[in-house]
Amino acid sequence: MTTEMRPGEDSSQRKPRLGFLLRLMLPFAFAYFLSHIYRSLNAVIAPDLMEAIGLSAADLGLLTSTFMLAFALAQLPLGVLLDLFGPRRVEATLLCVAVLGGLLFATADNVIVLAMARALMGLGVAACLMAALKAMTADLPSNWLMPAHCLLVAVGGLGAIMATAPAESLVGLLGWRAVFIALAGSTAIASLVILVLIKDPPGTRRRTTWRREVVGLRRALGHRFFLGVGPAVGLIQGGFMAIQTLWAGPWLYSVAGLDRASVGRYLLLMAAGMVAGYLVNGFLGARVSKWGVNPIMVAIGGSALLLASLGTIIAMGGQAPLSLWIVYGFFGTSAPMCFAMIGREVPLQYVGRVSTAMNFLVFAAAFAFQWGIGAIIKLWSTGPAGESPLLAYQAAFSLALTVQLLGWMWLVRTALAMQRAAIAAGQGPLVAQGAKRPD
């Protein structure tokens, strides 16, 4: 038995044993922690790459964004693989791919090999969150899923913190190549721990075929919630990730004029703001649902403040208060709240595919943003390599902000449609419709 049951207690209210909870959560949480380091570390080592390999801003954007592209492309078949083979086997196998990517990156000496290595890293950590969610859904009672999800993403945020000032110190001490070798070794340990400690729960694997899953994917992609929320979250969160995981560092170097140690500290504070944002938004989303308010309103409000903080940074340039980057990190966790709404808005048989499809849109957009920002900076730059002027960054970030604003407007449009549907159903405006899962 993995949980404790009281006589007459509903199964959804079971209390997991602490030992079982830790054995389930910690291996996946460690892998997710590492995935955020892989995702964010290039923001710290960007000057080293540009100096050691002779990369331009466009090269840096391209090789970093291949991580996002590979991660995104892996999402669509990932749901099928998790169903066929279970989270333990899929996660442990893919982490070995990340190990290969880390080792290749540590030994690369040109942009093509670096880009290939980043793609292997993105593929290797593509299942970290989805495998954990599948395992938790199968093993935890429903009333524990939201707290477990919030804790998991907060641990991931700690990985983003590790990829800032602490990573900067390690790079200064050991060099960026040695840091990637150490990261690959840690990932190999994570893979082994998951393979040994995690057990696939009975009944999590089911018989299916690729053809059946493709048909189901097409139906999931046509669901009104995905069409209404997916593109908006993709644009808003993709733009945020592109800046947070790469271009915030070069902005602080080139525009704000900070030294490397100061850049590392502010990236750390921005990542700390993300961790706080995940926890606060998770709590707030659960509370407003009890108040009868749809959590999408929290996502809309937080995303508006995210875009406002970025707009202020762009307008003020090097004079922008550095504390705005902390605000930016905090509200960068607002749009992902929509992922927590999938379980109540989408039929059960489509939840996994809608989740991975939305994740695909986020990372595909992040790929486009990272590459595009680098290309614009290179186009506008008039200084020596790696020293783009203020105007170049303002132009690139402004274009990203404009596209994100279109996504925010799409999200507002979706919320208004949900409000009209709630009123038509006699539930009142902005009601949280989570009492029943749709058929």
Side-chain angles (χ1 to χ4, degrees):
M1 292 289 291
T2 59
T3 56
E4 298 173 350
M5 289 283 292
R6 297 186 180 90
E9 185 180 26
D10 185 84
S11 61
S12 67
Q13 302 300 316
R14 293 174 297 169
K15 180 181 179 181
R17 293 175 180 171
L18 179 61
F20 166 75
L21 190 62
L22 293 177
R23 190 172 67 251
L24 173 67
M25 289 284 294
L26 289 182
F28 285 115
F30 180 51
Y32 192 52
F33 169 86
L34 293 175
S35 77
H36 272 263
I37 298 178
Y38 277 110
R39 187 187 306 177
S40 305
L41 192 53
N42 269 23
V44 167
I45 66 170
D48 299 280
L49 294 176
M50 299 177 83
E51 179 179 351
I53 313 296
L55 303 181
S56 67
D59 292 333
L60 182 63
L62 173 61
L63 77 89
T64 304
S65 65
T66 55
F67 178 102
M68 302 296 185
L69 180 61
F71 193 110
L73 293 177
Q75 295 305 305
L76 297 181
L78 184 58
V80 182
L81 292 173
L82 289 172
D83 281 340
L84 285 173
F85 303 107
R88 179 177 71 96
R89 292 178 180 87
V90 172
E91 175 72 334
T93 302
L94 286 180
L95 286 176
C96 292
V97 177
V99 172
L100 178 60
L103 294 176
L104 183 61
F105 196 91
T107 58
D109 59 1
N110 63 76
V111 66
I112 295 177
V113 179
L114 287 169
M116 291 173 56
R118 286 290 296 176
L120 289 173
M121 295 178 206
L123 175 61
V125 300
C128 287
L129 179 59
M130 294 303 165
L133 293 180
K134 181 173 178 62
M136 291 190 300
T137 300
D139 278 333
L140 294 180
S142 59
N143 62 312
W144 277 75
L145 290 178
M146 179 62 76
H149 178 267
C150 290
L151 288 174
L152 187 68
V153 296
V155 169
L158 294 178
I161 291 177
M162 183 63 191
T164 58
E168 174 69 39
S169 299
L170 287 176
V171 169
L173 181 65
L174 304 174
W176 63 273
R177 296 184 187 274
V179 168
F180 270 93
I181 292 175
L183 183 57
S186 300
T187 309
I189 294 173
S191 175
L192 182 61
V193 168
I194 288 175
L195 195 62
V196 172
L197 293 185
I198 299 297
K199 298 184 183 300
D200 289 320
T204 55
R205 295 177 63 182
R206 61 179 174 82
R207 288 189 171 186
T208 185
T209 64
W210 285 100
R211 182 176 181 179
R212 182 185 304 171
E213 292 300 323
V214 169
V215 172
L217 178 61
R218 279 167 31 196
R219 293 176 179 171
L221 297 184
H223 192 275
R224 63 182 181 275
F225 180 80
F226 174 77
L227 294 175
V229 173
V233 174
L235 293 177
I236 297 170
Q237 193 63 13
F240 167 75
M241 286 176 54
I243 293 175
Q244 182 264 322
T245 61
L246 177 60
W247 291 112
W251 173 287
L252 291 171
Y253 285 118
S254 301
V255 176
L258 301 183
D259 58 31
R260 293 195 58 162
S262 298
V263 169
R265 284 196 297 271
Y266 276 99
L267 291 177
L268 184 151
L269 291 173
M270 182 169 63
M274 284 175 51
V275 174
Y278 279 127
L279 295 175
V280 171
N281 279 319
F283 171 79
L284 188 58
R287 295 300 300 175
V288 298
S289 294
K290 293 181 179 180
W291 300 336
V293 176
N294 196 313
I296 197 173
M297 301 307 299
V298 179
I300 288 173
S303 296
L305 294 173
L306 168 75
L307 301 183
S309 61
L310 179 59
T312 304
I313 291 171
I314 294 170
M316 297 185 68
Q319 303 302 315
L322 295 175
S323 57
L324 276 177
W325 286 104
I326 305 173
V327 176
Y328 182 72
F330 182 90
F331 289 109
T333 63
S334 300
M337 282 188 61
C338 295
F339 278 90
M341 300 171 59
I342 294 175
R344 70 177 198 183
E345 300 287 347
V346 174
L348 182 60
Q349 65 269 30
Y350 297 142
V351 166
R353 278 162 287 196
V354 170
S355 298
T356 53
M358 281 181 57
N359 223 19
F360 165 78
L361 292 180
V362 169
F363 280 85
F367 161 76
F369 276 113
Q370 279 193 341
W371 191 2
I373 289 173
I376 294 172
I377 290 174
K378 181 181 179 181
L379 179 66
W380 282 72
S381 177
T382 57
E387 295 182 3
S388 302
L390 169 64
L391 184 60
Y393 279 90
Q394 286 180 319
F397 279 33
S398 295
L399 182 58
L401 177 61
T402 301
V403 176
Q404 288 179 284
L405 183 59
L406 294 176
W408 182 81
M409 293 169 65
W410 187 267
L411 193 61
V412 171
R413 174 183 176 275
T414 298
L416 293 175
M418 295 174 72
Q419 176 178 333
R420 289 193 296 269
I423 293 175
Q427 296 174 312
L430 306 183
V431 68
Q433 303 173 23
K436 294 182 179 180
R437 182 190 297 274
D439 296 326

